[in-house]
Every structure is written in C-alpha cells, then in structure tokens.
Amino acid sequence: MQKLWGGRFSKATDHEVDDFNASISFDSRLYREDITGSIAHAKMLGRQGIISREDAEKITAGLEGILADIEAGKVEFSEEYEDIHMNVEALLTERIGEAGKRLHTARSRNDQVALDMRMYVKKEIREIRSMILEMLTALSESAKQNLHTVMPGYTHLQRAQPVTFAHYMMAYAQMLRRDVLRLEDTYARMDEMPLGSGALATSTYPIDRDYVRAELGFARITENSIDGVSDRDYCVELASDLSILMMHLSRLSEEIVLWSSSEFKFVELDDAFSTGSSIMPQKKNPDVCELIRGKTGRVYGSLTALLTMLKGLPLAYNKDMQEDKEAVFNAVDTVKMCLKCLIPMFRTMKVLPENMKRAAEHGFINATDCADYLTKKGVPFRDAHRISGELVAECVQKGKALSELSLAEYKAHSEVFDEDIYQAIDLHTCVEGRCVPGGPAPAEVERQIASMDHFIQEHSISGEEE
Ligand code: ARG
C-alpha cells in the first residue's frame, strides 16, 4: 500500500518501523475531533474559493458518513495509515474520490493533531469538572447531615481538638473547589485554535482562521504558528491539575481506609463498594479507596512523562510529541474511573457518629479548652497550659477522662476551677465555642456549606453554557 506521503520514497517502510511509528491503536479515540475539525477546515476552504464549493460539500458529506459509520462500529482502522488523521483521509478518498485528496490543502498533520488534542482536552476538562462538582455536592450533603457529629480532629494522627464530621468534609470540599478552579484556569488559557499554523509556517493560501475558530467554538486563535504546533503546555497543565486532584482523592481515600478499620470504625462502607478476601472470611476490604490511592501514581507518571518528553525538543513539531497522547489519555481515564467509583462509594458510606463521639471523649481533645477556661479566668495561658497538662497526666494515670475528674481533683491543681468547668469542657461546648470564621461550630459550618453550594450552582451553570 502506497503511503499518503510516499511520493519521495523508493522502498516500503520496515514492518517494525510501521508498528513503532503508528499511533492509530491509541489516537483512534480522537476520531470525532479529527472529523469535526476537518469539516470546519473543508467549509473554510470552500468559502475562500481555495477548493470548489462542490468539493467542500462532497468532503463534508463524506466525513459525516464516516463519522456515523465509526460510531456504528462499522469502520476498521488500519495500522498502515499510521494515525487517525491519515486513516480518516484515506477512507474519505476511498469513498468520494478526487475531492477527498483536496481536504489536506493548506493544512499539515502538525496543526491538525494540535487542533484535535486541544478539542479533546477541552471536552475532557468539561467532563471532569462536572464530575468534581458532583463529588462536591456529595460532600456538601454529607456535611449537612453531620453538623453535630463530633469527632476528634488530628495532628500527627494524634487526637488533637474536637471538630465535626461536617467540618472535616468541608475541608475536602475546599480542595476539590480549587481543583475545579484550576481546571477552569487551564481551560481559559488553552482555548486557542491552532489550525492554520500549517507544518510550522502557516501557508500561502488565503485561509480564514477566524472562521474555523468560530465554527469550532474556540475563544481565540493561536498567535504564532511555530508555537501553535509546538505547544503542549495545556497537556502538562491538565496532567498537573489532575495530579493535584488525585493527590486530594488519595488523601480522602487514605482517611476512609483508616476510618473503616476496626481500630477507628468511624464509617462503614456499603457491601457494593467493598470486597472480600479469598482466605479470610471476615474481611471487608476498602479496595476502591486503596485503588484510588494506588492509581494516583499513574497520573503523576503522566505528568512526569510529559514534562520529560518536552524538555529537550527544539521547535517546532517533533515526533516525540506523539507520546503526549497516551500520557494525557492515561491521566484522564484514571481520574474519571476513580471519580466514577468514589462518588457512589462515598454517597453510600455509613457514618457512625457514636464511635466518633467515643473516640472524641477519650482523647483529651478538650485539654485546650480546659486551659482556655483557666485563661478566661485570668490565669496566664502558659500556666494554664501546664495545669491542664498535669490534669491530663493524672487522668492517664487514673484511666479517666477529663470530664470524669471530681471538682476536688480539679481544685487540687488550681483554686480557680469551679462547677462550670464541666460545661466548659463538654465536647459540644468546645465545638460550638469555635465559631470563628472557618471553625467547626455548626452555625459556621452551615455558612461554609452555603457558600460551597453557591459555588457548585454557579459553576454547574457556566458549564452548561459551553
Ligand atoms: N500521529 C502524529 C502525532 O500524534 C500526528 C502528527 C504527525 N506529523 C508528522 N509530521 N509526522 O503527533
């Protein structure tokens, strides 16, 4: 079979090289972007009189037919044609003859692939963003149901101060909110149409880049043709945004792994989202969380692969850049797969407030409040801290919680203590007292939730407009 670019060659390509060179096995997923881009290009060529209107129409109809056939599973791509771009073009010429050979006028595969990838990345950003918004909704709903669910907050994984499960979930919501914003930033920056850059130096035809831009719904056209075919920053940015997102999902997953252990027992995963052991009948494993944690490495891998692939490339296009695809696809697929399982797993996860409360009661997490109690009665904080620490030591020795010490035991450490100490170190008082903006007090967390709901709503609407 003669290659589309075979004119200057006297020999067929070595078979190993054909295999090595071909990208159709993975870039076939760009068929829709490729065809949509080609239709816009053909229409523009027709309007500008670069090809005849009849040819433009034949090409458009031919491409639409190919698109329909691909979607119906009727097309088999061939490795001989290397990539999706040449497969579609060869198929078109096979179907409509002469006119098909005019499609590639004033275009190169270099700007074609740059266009396809940008269209693909834009689509995936929109999809992933709406999945994150769904996860945000799930977090916000869980928070609303757990405004009063007291649990220990940790530092160094040691019980530290009382918070609520709602407060905790809204912390994760903040991370995912930033992920949405990061993806939107990336999107806004990359929303540029590269077609017309040609191989690297545009062309001598009177093409109308702005028409193609408008047809394909891009905000701007790329400003420089050399950059237009060489820029893969948006792939790096996407992989970086997705790496940060995965880091967040992995941290949440790690918490759920811990919380679903018998040692914590703060949550229970639904049977549909857990797995068993082949040998230990009692096991109920949080595999989904573990896989999310584990798959995070793949997405980091994509980011590293892209940065490394690009760092030594002279301008403009180099074949190395074909490697951008699997890296981007891998990151996108992994993130979507993780979110698809995480969202329903999280929604069906049972929160066990009683166990959280028990852990909160036995961790001296109200020791700071005990010190604050003394401080509010005039004791300097440093002294109050020491007294409170001595009380904790006594509790540890006696196997008691702070709330279980008698007033006499308190008074032995400081005369300032009175009956109202019990109210002051009650866990609900401790949580409610932290009503500073950002704090765990139910009223304050309600405010955080309302602001998050507003964010979710606004960003879901702007998503529908695109
Ligand atoms: N399959 C190629 C890629 O993914 C398309 C661009 C090829 N251009 C070229 N001059 N060989 O990058």
Side-chain angles (χ1 to χ4, degrees):
M1 188 191 301
Q2 166 85 292
K3 290 267 189 323
L4 291 188
W5 41 256
R8 63 105 65 213
F9 291 79
S10 56
K11 265 191 192 173
T13 322
D14 179 273
H15 280 307
E16 293 295 344
V17 174
D18 262 340
D19 280 354
F20 192 52
N21 212 24
S23 52
I24 187 65
S25 63
F26 50 86
D27 68 14
S28 59
R29 77 159 80 185
L30 297 175
Y31 71 85
R32 177 177 277 281
E33 287 75 17
D34 195 71
I35 290 173
T36 314
S38 287
I39 289 175
H41 179 66
K43 279 192 189 164
M44 182 276 290
L45 292 177
R47 280 171 56 101
Q48 297 299 102
I50 300 168
I51 62 172
S52 71
R53 291 241 173 206
E54 300 78 75
D55 279 351
E57 273 157 28
K58 266 193 208 158
I59 292 172
T60 306
L63 287 171
E64 278 163 359
I66 293 173
L67 179 60
D69 287 351
I70 296 175
E71 308 229 286
K74 289 191 211 151
V75 173
E76 227 177 273
F77 295 116
S78 139
E79 193 140 284
E80 307 264 356
Y81 289 125
E82 219 176 297
D83 55 25
I84 185 63
H85 324 296
M86 292 199 291
N87 264 276
V88 170
E89 193 186 322
L91 210 57
L92 181 68
T93 305
E94 211 179 282
R95 291 187 180 192
I96 67 165
E98 202 68 10
K101 295 196 219 162
R102 299 190 198 278
L103 168 63
H104 211 51
T105 313
R107 185 175 76 169
S108 154
R109 264 191 301 155
N110 298 349
D111 57 348
Q112 189 179 356
V113 73
L115 173 69
D116 293 3
M117 271 309 268
R118 278 189 196 254
M119 287 169 70
Y120 172 81
V121 167
K122 280 178 67 179
K123 177 186 85 187
E124 292 299 343
I125 289 182
R126 290 197 299 265
E127 275 181 28
I128 293 171
R129 184 193 49 181
S130 64
M131 293 176 87
I132 305 174
L133 288 169
E134 212 183 310
M135 183 63 199
L136 275 174
T137 306
L139 286 164
S140 151
E141 278 165 8
S142 162
K144 281 173 203 155
Q145 284 158 21
N146 288 287
L147 283 167
H148 301 277
T149 306
V150 174
M151 68 179 281
Y154 297 81
T155 64
H156 311 267
L157 203 56
Q158 306 287 322
R159 291 173 194 165
Q161 288 183 341
V163 295
T164 64
F165 192 68
H167 191 213
Y168 218 105
M169 289 305 102
M170 292 319 285
Y172 277 102
Q174 290 298 331
M175 302 182 208
L176 297 192
R177 177 177 173 276
R178 290 193 291 274
D179 291 324
V180 169
L181 292 172
R182 254 187 289 275
L183 284 171
E184 289 178 354
D185 278 355
T186 298
Y187 190 99
R189 203 168 11 258
M190 66 154 297
D191 195 4
E192 296 184 344
M193 204 291 295
L195 205 69
S197 300
L200 79 163
T202 68
S203 72
T204 52
Y205 297 95
I207 56 173
D208 183 351
R209 296 190 62 201
D210 199 59
Y211 171 82
V212 177
R213 175 202 66 74
E215 277 290 290
L216 299 176
F218 279 88
R220 304 173 299 280
I221 57 171
T222 50
E223 282 255 357
N224 176 294
S225 63
I226 300 175
D227 182 55
V229 291
S230 319
D231 174 27
R232 295 293 183 275
D233 288 4
Y234 61 95
C235 297
V236 177
E237 281 191 50
L238 174 67
S240 153
D241 297 347
L242 297 184
S243 291
I244 298 174
L245 168 65
M246 283 304 293
M247 180 264 287
H248 293 152
L249 301 185
S250 181
R251 291 180 77 170
L252 177 60
S253 297
E254 167 63 12
E255 303 247 38
I256 298 175
V257 169
L258 283 173
W259 292 343
S260 56
S261 70
S262 314
E263 282 69 13
F264 276 84
K265 252 197 177 324
F266 284 2
V267 298
E268 191 183 337
L269 293 176
D270 193 89
D271 277 0
F273 293 93
S274 329
T275 48
S277 153
S278 61
I279 172 169
M280 298 165 283
Q282 84 283 12
K283 289 299 281 294
K284 183 169 163 183
N285 297 328
D287 285 27
V288 170
C289 297
E290 294 167 74
L291 277 172
I292 293 172
R293 201 173 55 187
K295 284 178 187 291
T296 300
R298 282 179 179 250
V299 180
Y300 293 1
S302 288
L303 174 60
T304 306
L306 285 165
L307 286 168
T308 311
M309 178 273 283
L310 287 164
K311 84 179 184 52
L313 298 189
L315 300 179
Y317 178 85
N318 300 270
K319 189 75 174 210
D320 315 46
M321 290 161 97
Q322 180 164 286
E323 292 288 310
D324 64 354
K325 295 185 192 56
E326 283 164 297
V328 167
F329 298 163
N330 169 57
V332 162
D333 292 348
T334 305
V335 161
K336 286 166 90 175
M337 211 162 39
C338 289
L339 281 168
K340 245 181 234 167
C341 287
L342 176 65
I343 296 168
M345 187 207 73
F346 181 81
R347 283 188 185 281
T348 53
M349 178 178 86
K350 208 155 98 202
V351 176
L352 304 171
E354 277 310 309
N355 295 344
M356 293 187 185
K357 195 167 156 236
R358 198 168 314 128
E361 277 163 356
H362 294 282
F364 305 109
I365 58 178
N366 45 6
T368 312
D369 301 84
C370 178
D372 288 342
Y373 168 89
L374 292 171
T375 309
K376 284 174 192 161
K377 296 205 170 192
V379 181
F381 182 74
R382 235 349 112 210
D383 293 335
H385 184 284
R386 178 184 43 77
I387 295 167
S388 186
E390 286 164 7
L391 282 160
V392 167
E394 184 175 334
C395 283
V396 170
Q397 196 218 335
K398 294 183 170 166
K400 285 183 171 180
L402 279 173
S403 57
E404 290 162 355
L405 291 176
S406 69
L407 190 55
E409 285 171 309
Y410 272 110
K411 283 201 182 283
H413 288 267
S414 166
E415 267 308 315
V416 178
F417 281 115
D418 223 326
E419 268 304 329
D420 56 353
I421 177 63
Y422 297 105
Q423 176 59 29
I425 59 166
D426 175 82
L427 291 178
H428 286 280
T429 315
C430 300
V431 163
E432 257 146 47
R434 290 178 163 82
C435 52
V436 171
E444 168 49 26
V445 174
E446 264 182 327
R447 191 200 55 76
Q448 296 172 29
I449 297 172
S451 135
M452 188 59 67
D453 284 351
H454 180 71
F455 174 87
I456 297 169
Q457 203 186 0
E458 266 203 326
H459 289 255
S460 309
I461 293 167
S462 69
E464 277 158 25
E465 280 163 5
E466 277 149 14

